[in-house]
Amino acid sequence: MKTRSLDLVAALALAAAVPALAQHHAAHGAAPASAPVAAEAAAWVQGEVRRIDAANARVTLRHGDIPNLNMPPMTMAFSLRDPALLQGLKVGDKVRFTAVDAGGGQLAITALEKSP
């Protein structure tokens, strides 16, 4: 009878420790299984260059749906994280790009390239 009681106590202690270990693991940078993958967070979007403002590192694009920003298709201006992304672009070029919320109501293009 004592052996069964000890087994029960050990099983209960182990059952209590497993969630604590999982919380400890999650608190140290482990992403939960439901966290989006970086590639999904900023998926490539098709667009067309409508205006280029090189002086202010901005480009106006007519673009498709941007899922990571929950944005429907529209035409709008974006700032560029790297002004060099504008090199070789002209109005009318078909492009693909990734964009993120840069905070303060600003959206920024993080990657931009011509589409075939």
Side-chain angles (χ1 to χ4, degrees):
M1 184 70 160
K2 267 189 173 180
T3 302
R4 280 192 185 180
S5 294
L6 290 175
D7 289 343
L8 180 59
V9 169
L12 289 173
L14 181 60
V18 170
L21 288 172
Q23 287 176 342
H24 176 75
H25 182 67
H28 289 285
S34 62
V37 176
E40 293 172 350
W44 287 99
V45 177
Q46 297 296 318
E48 180 183 332
V49 177
R50 306 298 283 175
R51 182 171 178 245
I52 296 171
D53 180 0
N56 294 305
R58 296 181 64 78
V59 62
T60 301
L61 299 175
R62 185 176 71 194
H63 64 80
D65 186 48
I66 306 177
N68 64 298
L69 297 175
N70 196 27
M71 182 178 291
M74 65 178 73
T75 299
M76 65 174 292
F78 292 89
S79 62
L80 295 158
R81 288 254 172 107
D82 180 3
L85 294 172
L86 291 176
Q87 290 181 351
L89 284 184
K90 63 184 183 312
V91 172
D93 281 347
K94 304 286 188 213
V95 296
R96 67 183 202 135
F97 66 97
T98 60
V100 296
D101 184 344
Q106 295 294 319
L107 302 178
I109 290 180
T110 56
L112 176 70
E113 60 186 38
K114 287 185 181 183
S115 294

